[in-house]
Amino acid sequence: MSKSKADIEKILSYDIILFMKGEDFMSFIKETEKYLQDVFKKCGYEIEEVTLESSSRRDLGEFQINSAMSLAKKYGKNPREIAQNIIDNFDDRFTNVNIAGPGFINVSINDEFLLKRMNESINDFDNLIDKYESKNILIDYGGANAAKSLHVGHMRSANIGEALKRLAKVLGNNVIGDVHLGDLGRQSGMVISEIKKRKPDLCYFDSNYKGKYPKLEITPEELAIYYPEASKDAKENPLRMEEVREITAKVDMCEEPYFSMWKDIVEVSSNEIRKTYDYLNCNFELWEGELSSLKYIDKTLKVLEPYMYESEGAKVIDVAKSDDKIEIPPLIVIKNDGASIYATRDLATIYNRMHSDFKPDELWYVVDARQGLYFEQVFRASYKSNLVSEDVKLKHYSFGTMNGKDGKPFKTRDGGVLQLNDLLSMIREELSKKMNKYEDGNEKNNILDKLTVATIKYADLLPYRTTDYVFDIEKFCSFEGKTGPYVLYTMVRIKSILDKVNINSEKIISIYSETERNIYLKLLELSRILNQAYTEKTLSYICEYLFEISSLFNKFYGETNIINESDNEKKDSYVSLLKLIYNTCSKLLNILAIEIPSKM
Ligand code: ARG
């Protein structure tokens, strides 16, 4: 569900003000707003907050202050009179101060003020942003299923989750991520039944076997084919499906030798899954999952016991509320055969997280939208039973799907689910065609890997989190437009100029052109961009912003001969500007978990 504009404004005005950390780090905008509030106070007007709005009419001023209008009624004065009173008290940080219409104050920023902030930010990103009051946040994302391959939905969770984690950290929180592996479920029965079919003589399947069971030997290559094979057969063959069910139930009840076999399979599978996450620069602090939650189930059930009742043999918790707009069915906690299910393991995981040393203030689930109702049930059950206290936030941040050009979830040519590794190979191949100035080899591979990750991440993070988007490989891989390759190409270009001129300067001395000024003003906007991204939990704003900065730089590059500039002071200043852009964008790309190649 995407948020309405009004909703978003509401969150912005509350959350940001409540949680933004005060005095030590302050963006230019926030500092100026504080200053303005003081001026209003000094002139005798009590005002909760003053907003410095970016102006679309640059000829009138770079920023606008509209507060005089809202004060007019309260103080029974003409707003223009208030505005005049305010501007008479400004110090020299603004230029081009004027009052327009009923009482809008227009201002531009004094060069010296602007450059001071820019110079302080060349090597210090924190000077461009605002930090929040630090919270402990645990993010559950990734969610790959053991023994099955990762698909596109898992990729979205990984990309968005990792980036939100990095964003939350940059803004001052303590954040850790948990991959929460799907390592229990039907796939255990599938894989073990396939092993049984292929290697019936293994001791695990011999009911007369009395010895100690050895560790199961299985290769990643075997694993890759076992699940799909078994799944295909079980669909057509009811007897096979029955066997799969039986084995799954045994694993779920921790029955040996199946339970240990499954743990061995999960180990091999997690190593493979880890490689894909590594490729995508996703680093999980925790590798927990459904399997590791089993040891907390008893304790969890004790907490839940007073709220559970029996329904058709199963144990359930009512989670409906009287003002629900849609029916929220009771949450099944234990199945009628006494086995745990997905929900039981999520509740046990929550139990463990709440009792961990990390003590989260917030738990975020970056999981696809189809699990929305499920998480609502789990969250309600958690609060109702006091598994989680009311002051801890449980949030499901879902995302839209990646569709094909027909508007339906993207499928392979033969109609199957697109595997993540296949998607990555497709992108890599497309990019490889454009990189033919490089000979095949390590260097090319390295560049292509980084470019592939950048391409898919940028394309995946650019749409608003909750909207669906269309997979368009040509568009994603283009070196022009809002794409990963365009942004990276710009960064590589900046880096190569910096390497070429090799000048130590770190001071911007003056503003020589309109485009430069626009770059600085854009950099001032960064604090708002990050706040908006964080409040709405979408990386789209950061992607758009990177595109805008890149375009501004490329305009500047087209207008300016940096390398051959004969005025040394000017050249030094340009170099410093380039460093400022490069350093700032590197940090932003790092939030998106995108790495910049050394060449392109
Ligand atoms: N393994 C799940 C799936 O593929 C996602 C897990 C999401 N996290 C959670 N705590 N339930 O659908």
Side-chain angles (χ1 to χ4, degrees):
M1 190 188 67
S2 78
K3 284 208 153 54
S4 75
K5 223 178 145 225
D7 276 349
I8 289 166
E9 266 158 20
K10 213 162 107 202
I11 310 175
L12 276 176
S13 54
Y14 292 118
D15 273 20
I16 296 282
I17 298 159
L18 282 176
F19 297 123
M20 210 113 77
K21 193 169 152 177
E23 320 310 318
D24 30 351
F25 288 102
M26 241 191 272
S27 66
F28 182 88
I29 303 242
K30 195 172 171 217
E31 184 190 86
T32 309
E33 288 176 339
K34 281 237 147 129
Y35 163 78
L36 287 168
Q37 198 181 357
D38 286 346
V39 175
F40 275 88
K41 267 198 195 136
K42 205 173 119 197
C43 296
Y45 305 106
E46 269 317 312
I47 185 159
E48 295 260 316
E49 56 163 335
V50 182
T51 320
L52 188 68
E53 313 254 18
S54 295
S55 166
S56 47
R57 289 279 314 268
R58 282 284 165 81
D59 51 326
L60 295 178
E62 288 161 353
F63 293 95
Q64 196 170 70
I65 302 142
N66 300 336
S67 308
M69 259 76 69
S70 58
L71 292 171
K73 210 167 162 205
K74 183 169 165 198
Y75 289 94
K77 277 190 185 172
N78 179 331
R80 280 192 77 99
E81 191 190 324
I82 299 176
Q84 189 61 48
N85 194 198
I86 297 300
I87 66 175
D88 287 344
N89 282 281
F90 280 165
D91 62 18
D92 58 1
R93 70 184 65 211
F94 301 126
T95 58
N96 185 23
V97 180
N98 62 82
I99 302 171
F104 298 107
I105 302 172
N106 292 311
V107 299
S108 294
I109 308 293
N110 172 329
D111 281 10
E112 218 176 292
F113 254 79
L114 184 57
L115 288 186
K116 179 172 178 286
R117 176 64 70 145
M118 291 300 125
N119 279 318
E120 285 164 358
S121 310
I122 293 177
N123 290 310
D124 192 354
F125 183 77
D126 283 352
N127 258 304
L128 292 173
I129 65 172
D130 292 307
K131 299 250 176 182
Y132 286 63
E133 188 191 316
S134 181
K135 293 263 158 67
N136 285 357
I137 303 170
L138 189 149
I139 312 186
D140 180 314
Y141 68 104
N145 296 321
K148 288 204 220 173
S149 38
L150 278 89
H151 57 72
V152 176
H154 292 122
M155 173 191 76
R156 296 220 70 197
S157 171
N159 287 342
I160 298 170
E162 180 70 27
L164 287 180
K165 185 174 84 181
R166 292 175 185 221
L167 175 62
K169 268 191 204 169
V170 163
L171 295 180
N173 298 288
N174 298 313
V175 200
I176 56 173
D178 178 6
V179 68
H180 196 80
L181 282 186
D183 47 11
L184 278 174
R186 183 68 56 84
Q187 69 269 40
S188 64
M190 292 281 185
V191 175
I192 294 174
S193 116
E194 188 66 20
I195 298 174
K196 189 172 173 190
K197 185 174 161 207
R198 289 171 184 248
K199 303 176 184 176
D201 297 335
L202 287 179
C203 64
Y204 314 101
F205 309 115
D206 174 359
S207 52
N208 296 320
Y209 183 77
K210 290 276 170 315
K212 192 173 175 284
Y213 291 109
K215 195 177 163 86
L216 176 74
E217 306 280 346
I218 187 163
T219 66
E221 293 70 31
E222 288 172 314
L223 206 46
I225 51 174
Y226 283 11
Y227 177 81
E229 285 281 305
S231 158
K232 202 169 135 238
D233 188 34
K235 258 190 209 131
E236 291 154 9
N237 178 350
L239 276 179
R240 179 78 188 267
M241 187 55 107
E242 194 40 45
E243 181 184 82
V244 168
R245 270 202 206 100
E246 273 166 25
I247 301 177
T248 307
K250 286 183 178 159
V251 173
D252 285 355
M253 303 294 262
C254 307
E255 243 183 79
E256 296 297 357
Y258 295 117
F259 188 60
S260 290
M261 280 176 89
W262 176 241
K263 282 203 285 191
D264 295 337
I265 294 165
V266 169
E267 195 184 314
V268 175
S269 174
S270 327
N271 286 335
E272 290 307 294
I273 290 171
R274 208 180 276 262
K275 285 183 200 158
T276 306
Y277 284 134
D278 282 349
Y279 188 79
L280 290 173
N281 302 324
C282 292
N283 316 307
F284 299 94
E285 284 72 13
L286 301 172
W287 276 77
E288 306 286 336
E290 296 187 44
L291 200 49
S292 57
S293 76
L294 292 180
K295 46 184 177 297
Y296 311 108
I297 286 186
D298 286 346
K299 287 181 183 155
T300 308
L301 292 179
K302 262 205 192 107
V303 178
L304 299 177
E305 194 58 60
Y307 305 91
M308 292 196 292
Y309 65 93
E310 240 181 77
S311 168
E312 295 168 35
K315 292 208 166 177
V316 306
I317 297 187
D318 278 335
V319 288
K321 290 182 184 165
S322 56
D323 56 351
D324 284 340
K325 302 246 166 5
I326 53 159
E327 197 199 325
I328 312 276
L331 178 70
I332 302 176
V333 180
I334 294 287
K335 281 199 301 188
N336 52 11
D337 61 2
S340 69
I341 46 173
Y342 188 51
T344 332
R345 297 157 202 156
D346 258 323
L347 290 164
T349 302
I350 291 178
Y351 176 96
N352 179 33
R353 288 173 182 167
M354 297 321 297
H355 287 83
S356 69
D357 289 341
F358 185 67
K359 305 227 176 321
D361 300 304
E362 301 186 9
L363 278 183
W364 303 354
Y365 292 81
V366 183
V367 182
D368 83 65
R370 283 168 299 187
Q371 298 193 35
L373 175 64
Y374 164 76
F375 279 115
E376 186 59 35
Q377 291 175 297
V378 169
F379 295 169
R380 287 186 184 192
S382 303
Y383 287 129
K384 182 175 182 177
S385 61
N386 281 318
L387 195 62
V388 173
S389 64
E390 289 291 339
D391 54 342
V392 173
K393 266 200 207 169
L394 298 174
K395 290 275 179 193
H396 174 207
Y397 295 118
S398 67
F399 41 82
T401 45
M402 186 178 98
N403 291 331
K405 290 201 171 129
D406 58 358
K408 300 199 186 101
F410 191 80
K411 291 266 184 312
T412 56
R413 239 176 246 152
D414 52 9
V417 180
L418 183 65
Q419 311 285 304
L420 177 52
N421 283 331
D422 294 341
L423 173 74
L424 293 172
S425 309
M426 270 163 72
I427 302 257
R428 201 174 189 282
E429 223 161 274
E430 180 73 19
L431 289 165
S432 175
K433 290 188 217 152
K434 302 179 185 236
M435 304 289 287
N436 40 22
K437 68 174 177 187
Y438 288 94
E439 304 238 336
D440 288 345
N442 272 349
E443 185 182 38
K444 182 173 181 179
N445 282 337
N446 204 321
I447 298 172
L448 271 179
D449 284 340
K450 288 193 172 145
L451 206 49
T452 302
V453 173
T455 301
I456 193 64
K457 288 215 184 224
Y458 190 93
D460 197 29
L461 298 172
L462 176 67
Y464 197 85
R465 172 173 51 83
T466 47
T467 53
D468 299 342
Y469 69 95
V470 173
F471 178 77
D472 183 338
I473 192 160
E474 276 118 74
K475 191 166 123 196
F476 295 173
C477 295
S478 168
F479 278 52
E480 244 137 84
K482 287 182 191 169
T483 69
Y486 174 70
V487 173
L488 283 197
Y489 190 74
T490 308
M491 292 306 116
V492 169
R493 172 179 273 170
I494 299 178
K495 186 75 184 14
S496 95
I497 301 172
L498 287 173
D499 289 347
K500 231 176 241 156
V501 296
N502 192 18
I503 292 177
N504 241 333
S505 165
E506 274 172 7
K507 190 163 173 12
I508 303 163
I509 295 144
S510 183
I511 304 175
Y512 305 96
S513 72
E514 184 68 25
T515 308
E516 287 163 55
R517 196 173 181 91
N518 288 336
I519 295 176
Y520 299 130
L521 291 172
K522 186 59 54 190
L523 288 167
L524 291 188
E525 275 175 35
L526 182 60
S527 55
R528 286 223 165 113
I529 299 295
L530 294 192
N531 289 336
Q532 207 170 0
Y534 189 66
T535 309
E536 298 170 39
K537 305 291 182 283
T538 177
L539 288 310
S540 45
Y541 298 114
I542 299 180
C543 291
E544 294 277 357
Y545 183 84
L546 276 164
F547 171 73
E548 286 165 18
I549 286 268
S550 301
S551 305
L552 279 171
F553 168 77
N554 284 321
K555 184 158 189 277
F556 167 72
Y557 177 75
E559 294 167 354
T560 325
N561 197 335
I562 308 164
I563 297 178
N564 298 320
E565 177 56 57
S566 55
D567 177 339
N568 279 338
E569 189 177 284
K570 227 178 180 179
K571 193 168 180 176
D572 284 1
S573 200
Y574 288 156
V575 165
S576 310
L577 164 58
L578 262 57
K579 285 186 187 166
L580 173 63
I581 300 177
Y582 189 84
N583 291 347
T584 308
C585 291
S586 303
K587 291 268 187 203
L588 295 176
L589 286 165
N590 191 43
I591 290 177
L592 306 182
I594 292 176
E595 290 176 357
I596 308 173
S598 52
K599 285 202 216 170
M600 252 172 89

